[in-house]
Amino acid sequence: MSASRQGAVIPDRAGAAKEELFFLAVRGLAEGESLTSATDRRFADLAAHLALADAAWSCRLIGWLAAREPLGSAAIVAAVEWVRAGLRAGLTASGGNRQLISGILRSADQPGELLGYWFRRYGHPVPKPIKRGVADAALVLYDERAVAVHDRPGGEVRFADVIKMTHPRPAAGVQSDLFHHLLASHGGSPHEVPVSLPRLHARAALHRLSREERRDILRRADASDILVQAAMTADMIPGWLGEPLDARAWRAVLPLMGYRDRLRALRDFDEAGLDDQTAGEVAAMLADADQVALAGVRPLEILAAGEATPARRWGRALERAAEAALAAVPVLPGRTLILLDHPAPMFTEATGNTAQTVAGRAATFARALALRAEQADLVQFGGTHARVPLQSGAGLRTVTERFREMADGDAAAAVRDCFDRHDRVVIVTGEPRGSARGQDDPVAALPAGVPSYIWDAAGAMRMPSLPGRYVFRGLTDAAFEVIPLIESARVSWPF
């Protein structure tokens, strides 16, 4: 990195820009969405500004984003803008641009994602440092399995596109054969898969089979071995088969399925008539605390799986899984006031593609935070408000049963009545509140310096985020990380 780039620091403006840029990244994590539209443009503009205002800080942020899988897209945007801003300002980086780009690409789908972002925002040509960094990453990331899993037809920038545009130079051998095969077959041109690529060769053989022959494969005792050899993943099988899987097919596919795959397929298992013995084996895995920890699942994902299937045979396993998943929820230090809004519409409105109500999602999030907090006061509010007891050792289901439907209420009144020297306030609601409905700002009465976090589980709120007041739309399991991240950044950056 050149001294000229490193020294261009604008302390006051840079400080505010850093806070906003960091918050936009964290909000994207919390809301489970990649950076898009106006947020994408604002994030990109801030990243470009800080590339010149404080390049060293920006570089550390980019590395931190890249190391957190859900923030990989944010890392790509920030890295591209960092490099472009420096090039436009006439700054050199002694190879640092190329190294930055190659270093933030951690998954085989990301080289194409990065080039796709550049084309959408800036068109052609692609600067040489970016092309070279992408080429370096492709040499590390592109192998047979990566092609089988990530190079899907219809992708915006396919593996062959990356190779054609950036010209990575593989050593002679398997990777050279792989790159040649990708280029030769690009655009659907017929090309025989070389025998030096056994996985792709096996994959091509499976796709040449008739539908009846594909059914026969799934009836074989070694079906899972055949599918693994061809690098087939569980989500590919229904499309390859061309029809829903029956119980026998699911039994063949089960060895390919990880924890999350099985969790999301419970309804499919039931509809296919999966036998009780096999279902019991699946349930035992789902209930295993070590498996829960290894998969990194959290309570909202487990709740969604349970509400997506009406079958009772999964209930006990999912309850145990939800209890184990609490261990992955960060502990909030000090005293936390958690206010849960429960107006009637939240009990009937579904979220996403499941039967899960907004109330169920909001309540699960609020009670999980409360159960894991060092000291929490959990309050349900509507037409009135009341504290919800948190017994020592009380599980998620025990606390859920204490919530009830309430009339529409006033968050500001609940904050005024219940706040008592808490270190933070968390409000979880399902309807537009505060200024959006002409009511009082729900956190206006808080003393200066007390942060507030407002989640609108239904995604309808338009209240803006302000310093010390952080507003999020929708609820995902990633939201559990948000409060510790923001509060750590108020003391020192987490990178």
Side-chain angles (χ1 to χ4, degrees):
M1 183 184 303
S2 69
S4 56
R5 184 200 282 262
Q6 197 170 24
V9 180
I10 309 172
D12 294 334
R13 292 183 180 179
K18 289 173 186 177
E19 291 178 8
E20 185 179 356
L21 183 65
F22 183 78
F23 174 70
L24 288 176
V26 169
R27 189 173 72 182
L29 173 67
E31 296 177 356
E33 298 178 356
S34 59
L35 298 166
T36 56
S37 62
T39 302
D40 186 7
R41 178 59 63 89
R42 180 60 179 163
F43 183 91
D45 290 346
L46 286 169
H49 165 71
L50 285 165
L52 301 179
D54 194 337
W57 182 91
S58 298
C59 235
R60 294 197 304 273
L61 170 68
I62 292 168
W64 180 80
L65 294 172
R68 304 176 70 88
E69 184 179 353
L71 295 174
S73 294
I76 287 172
V77 172
V80 166
E81 300 299 338
W82 193 94
V83 172
R84 181 177 181 272
L87 293 174
R88 286 171 59 85
L91 304 176
T92 59
S94 302
N97 288 328
R98 177 177 182 173
Q99 293 168 7
L100 178 71
I101 294 297
S102 65
I104 58 106
L105 300 176
R106 312 284 179 95
S107 174
D109 58 334
Q110 290 183 330
E113 181 184 351
L114 187 148
L115 290 175
Y117 172 76
W118 178 273
F119 295 144
R120 289 192 304 274
R121 186 151 166 96
Y122 300 115
H124 291 273
V126 180
K128 286 185 179 180
I130 291 180
K131 290 172 65 174
R132 290 169 178 165
V134 170
D136 292 342
L139 288 173
V140 174
L141 297 170
Y142 284 6
D143 59 19
E144 273 195 272
R145 177 165 178 77
V147 172
V149 173
H150 294 291
D151 192 30
R152 302 291 182 92
E156 180 182 9
V157 181
R158 299 286 300 276
F159 280 35
D161 297 318
V162 173
I163 294 169
K164 288 173 66 175
M165 283 184 276
T166 66
H167 309 292
R169 297 181 179 180
V174 173
Q175 193 176 57
S176 180
D177 292 345
L178 176 67
F179 283 19
H180 175 74
H181 166 66
L182 289 171
L183 292 172
S185 59
H186 187 49
S189 302
H191 177 73
E192 186 69 24
V193 181
V195 294
S196 60
L197 305 175
R199 289 187 174 220
L200 296 183
H201 197 273
R203 167 79 62 90
L206 286 180
H207 280 280
R208 286 195 295 267
L209 298 175
S210 67
R211 178 170 291 187
E212 184 56 39
E213 288 173 324
R214 297 180 189 194
R215 292 193 193 102
D216 289 340
I217 288 289
L218 294 178
R219 297 186 187 109
R220 292 175 52 165
D222 61 347
S224 59
D225 294 334
I226 295 172
L227 296 173
V228 168
Q229 173 60 28
M232 296 285 280
T233 59
D235 64 306
M236 297 176 185
I237 306 302
W240 169 73
L241 188 61
E243 61 189 27
L245 275 62
D246 60 19
R248 185 166 186 169
W250 277 119
R251 285 195 296 272
V253 173
L254 269 174
L256 281 66
M257 302 179 73
Y259 190 100
R260 279 194 164 87
D261 295 328
R262 298 183 182 205
L263 191 64
R264 294 166 184 166
L266 297 183
R267 188 181 187 92
D268 294 327
F269 293 157
D270 294 333
E271 291 178 349
L274 190 69
D275 63 276
D276 288 340
Q277 179 178 344
T278 306
E281 294 169 1
V282 173
M285 177 194 182
L286 296 180
D288 187 281
D290 291 337
Q291 293 289 338
V292 172
L294 185 64
V297 293
R298 293 186 179 177
L300 294 182
E301 189 172 358
I302 295 170
L303 175 72
E307 294 192 341
T309 177
R312 295 184 177 181
R313 61 180 177 176
W314 309 108
R316 178 58 182 158
L318 293 177
E319 183 176 342
R320 291 173 59 190
E323 296 300 319
L326 274 176
V329 175
V331 175
L332 298 180
R335 302 182 64 231
T336 305
L337 174 61
I338 302 171
L339 300 167
L340 176 63
D341 190 4
H342 257 193
M346 288 177 66
F347 283 80
T348 56
E349 183 177 355
T351 62
N353 298 318
T354 74
Q356 184 180 16
T357 64
V358 174
R361 199 166 187 82
T364 300
F365 179 73
R367 67 184 184 259
L369 277 182
L371 288 169
R372 289 287 289 165
E374 184 177 349
Q375 185 176 348
D377 292 308
L378 179 59
V379 176
Q380 180 184 3
F381 73 94
T384 60
H385 42 269
R387 295 181 185 273
V388 179
L390 285 173
Q391 295 177 348
S392 176
L396 292 176
R397 180 176 296 247
T398 304
V399 178
T400 303
E401 294 168 351
R402 297 191 176 132
F403 292 111
R404 66 186 187 280
E405 180 179 330
M406 301 180 77
D408 191 13
D410 186 346
V415 171
R416 286 194 299 269
D417 290 351
C418 300
F419 180 78
D420 181 20
R421 295 171 293 176
H422 291 88
D423 295 295
R424 67 190 63 82
V425 173
V426 178
I427 301 175
V428 187
T429 181
E431 290 191 311
R433 293 286 177 191
S435 58
R437 298 184 61 185
Q439 297 177 353
D440 293 338
D441 184 333
V443 294
L446 291 178
V450 176
S452 59
Y453 307 88
I454 304 173
W455 268 274
D456 169 27
M461 182 177 289
R462 293 296 178 264
M463 179 182 294
S465 294
L466 298 172
R469 182 181 74 186
Y470 307 97
V471 181
F472 306 92
R473 292 188 293 273
L475 273 174
T476 70
D477 277 307
F480 289 115
E481 297 182 54
V482 167
I483 296 175
L485 284 175
I486 290 177
E487 294 189 356
S488 69
R490 297 176 73 194
V491 178
S492 62
W493 300 111
F495 45 82

